[in-house]
């Protein structure tokens, strides 16, 4: 006894079953599933409805042979802790998942040999593209030997202007912090940040000075305080700033760890935050910003959005429509009790 053409067969549904139920040819059903081909929207919808009804799952291997694509993308990171790469990965998966593309995560731990090992594996798997990210905003050399595969750099831009890079807008982030503090009446603002050899510390400091100058102000101590990305440095820096410029009425810090250390030091001195001195951090790292006393006003670098935009740029490149150059993602200010 044979099954009726509009009823699902026993066992796993096949593409021919989808085509029969939708009333189209197998070729049309295949094009509808791959997103290719020119057809009326209602035809494509009938195919998708048949897929849903039959519980059809495409044979990825067969699809790959037919399309020349693996429907996988590599995401290579130097951020073993995941503090920065995890939000980027989540954003990328949100964009790629809609196209049924899988993401292979590779952690190089900042090791060039490990990076080459992962790169060879990704190329052997014939990934459709690669997203490269890291824990710092410093430009990095482009991946070698990947001319046949599109690559997009997220957070850590490529040194090659011909590559596509997606980064946070630190210029706009510093502006948000300074304008917020000036808008609340602060005029003697100190800037405490991380190591000067880190691009994030150097550039955020440069932009902070520029935006202070546009308000006819300068750092309260007359200079930038470079140090470490740590709470301990924030505590030491707060003491140094107040010794030099006891009239300081605000701290703009290069990250949330430093800002939390500053807030701790001020509290231990009996200084009211934000009554006497306001504190603003950077990164919007919940672990630090929400646990601080009081919770920190901070600049969110939109890491998830960086990942999403990087994935969309990679999809454009896979479709032979790359957009070389550096693309910036705006920051946003999250106002909490510290300011």
């Amino acid at each position: 006894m044979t099954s009726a053409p509009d009823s699902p067969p026993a066992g796993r549904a096949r593409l021919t079953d989808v085509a029969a139920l939708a009333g189209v040819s197998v070729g049309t059903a295949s094009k509808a599933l791959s997103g290719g081909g020119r057809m009326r929207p209602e035809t494509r919808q009938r195919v998708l409805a048949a897929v849903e009804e039959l519980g059809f799952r495409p044979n990825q291997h067969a699809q790959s042979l037919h399309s020349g694509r693996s429907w996988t993308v590599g995401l290579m990171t130097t951020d073993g802790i995941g503090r920065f790469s995890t939000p980027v990965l989540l954003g990328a998966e949100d964009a790629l998942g809609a196209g049924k593309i899988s993401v292979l995560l590779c952690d190089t731990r900042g090791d060039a040999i490990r990076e080459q090992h992962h790169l060879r594996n990704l190329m052997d798997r014939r990934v459709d593209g690669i997203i490269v990210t890291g824990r710092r905003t410093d430009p990095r050399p482009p991946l070698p030997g990947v001319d046949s595969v599109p690559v997009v750099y997220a957070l850590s831009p490529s040194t090659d202007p011909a590559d596509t890079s997606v980064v946070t807008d630190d210029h706009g982030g510093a502006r948000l912090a300074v304008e917020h503090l000036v808008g609340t009446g602060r005029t003697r603002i100190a800037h405490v940040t991380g190591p000067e050899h880190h691009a994030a510390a150097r550039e955020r400091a440069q932009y902070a000075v520029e935006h202070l100058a546009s308000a006819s102000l300068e750092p309260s101590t007359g200079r930038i305080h470079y140090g470490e990305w740590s709470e301990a440095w924030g505590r030491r820096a707060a003491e140094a700033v107040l010794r030099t410029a006891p009239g300081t009425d605000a701290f703009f810090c290069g990250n949330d760890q430093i800002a939390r250390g500053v807030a701790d030091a001020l509290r231990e001195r009996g200084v009211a935050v934000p009554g006497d001195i306001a504190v603003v951090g950077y990164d919007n790292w919940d672990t630090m910003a929400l646990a601080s006393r009081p919770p920190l006003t901070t600049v969110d670098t939109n890491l998830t959005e960086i990942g999403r935009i990087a994935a969309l740029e990679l999809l454009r490149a896979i479709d032979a429509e790359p957009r070389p150059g550096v693309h910036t993602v705006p920051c946003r200010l999250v106002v909490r009790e510290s300011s």
Side-chain angles (χ1 to χ4, degrees):
M1 181 176 179
T2 58
S3 299
D6 59 348
S7 63
R12 178 172 175 169
R14 297 165 298 176
L15 185 59
T16 52
D17 304 314
V18 171
L21 183 57
V24 300
S25 69
V26 172
T28 298
S30 176
K31 290 176 182 176
L33 290 177
S34 67
R38 302 180 67 179
M39 66 188 69
R40 294 190 299 176
E42 52 266 33
T43 301
R44 195 183 303 273
Q45 190 55 48
R46 283 208 314 276
V47 174
L48 296 178
V51 167
E52 186 71 23
E53 182 175 336
L54 295 174
F56 173 72
R57 296 182 60 191
N59 184 319
Q60 294 293 335
H61 180 63
Q63 277 194 323
S64 297
L65 292 175
H66 176 71
S67 66
R69 290 183 57 179
S70 66
W71 303 98
T72 57
V73 162
L75 192 147
M76 190 175 293
T77 178
T78 61
D79 180 21
I81 299 173
R83 160 68 189 96
F84 297 99
S85 63
T86 298
V88 172
L89 171 63
L90 293 176
E93 283 191 322
D94 284 346
L96 296 170
K100 310 299 183 187
I101 297 175
S102 299
V103 180
L104 303 175
L105 178 62
C106 303
D107 175 18
T108 70
R109 305 179 196 176
D111 185 314
I113 295 176
R114 190 181 293 269
E115 178 175 278
Q116 282 301 304
H117 167 73
H118 285 307
L119 184 56
R120 283 194 299 271
N121 283 341
L122 291 175
M123 299 300 283
D124 288 344
R125 288 172 175 264
R126 300 184 182 277
V127 293
D128 296 325
I130 301 173
I131 297 173
V132 181
T133 188
R135 69 166 68 92
R136 289 166 58 173
T137 62
D138 298 77
R140 56 149 293 153
L143 290 179
V146 291
D147 294 342
S148 61
V149 176
V151 179
V152 171
Y153 298 83
L155 188 63
S156 305
S158 169
T159 53
D160 187 345
D163 288 330
T164 301
S165 300
V166 182
V167 302
T168 188
D169 180 14
D170 275 337
H171 189 279
R175 177 182 55 78
L176 289 172
V178 171
E179 287 185 351
H180 171 70
L181 290 171
V182 173
T184 57
R186 314 293 171 160
T187 59
R188 304 202 65 195
I189 303 168
H191 186 63
V192 179
T193 191
E196 189 172 5
H197 64 274
H198 283 204
R202 206 168 50 248
E203 291 172 2
R204 290 169 191 175
Q206 173 192 333
Y207 300 142
V209 171
E210 288 179 7
H211 293 303
L212 285 171
S214 67
S216 301
L217 300 172
E218 63 176 19
S220 66
T221 60
R223 68 181 185 89
I224 301 301
H225 295 263
Y226 290 104
E228 305 163 357
W229 300 115
S230 69
E231 294 173 72
W233 163 239
R235 290 191 292 270
R236 295 197 306 273
E239 296 291 342
V241 166
L242 294 181
R243 278 197 305 271
T244 304
T248 296
D249 59 12
F251 282 81
F252 170 30
C253 303
N255 79 347
D256 291 333
Q257 289 167 278
I258 295 171
R260 184 174 172 180
V262 167
D264 285 347
L266 295 177
R267 188 176 63 252
E268 290 168 5
R269 290 173 66 108
V271 175
V273 178
D276 298 323
I277 299 179
V279 179
V280 172
Y282 211 103
D283 290 336
N284 194 30
W285 184 12
D286 285 354
T287 301
M288 286 290 154
L290 296 179
S292 177
R293 290 186 291 166
L296 294 172
T297 291
T298 182
V299 176
D300 191 315
T301 53
N302 271 338
L303 294 176
T304 302
E305 183 67 1
I306 288 173
R308 191 185 75 85
I309 297 297
L312 294 178
E313 291 297 333
L314 185 63
L315 292 176
R316 289 178 63 99
I318 290 171
D319 290 335
E321 297 179 357
R323 295 201 304 169
V326 177
H327 306 269
T328 57
V329 175
C331 297
R332 63 188 181 93
L333 185 70
V334 181
V335 179
R336 299 193 180 95
E337 289 91 327
S338 70
S339 65

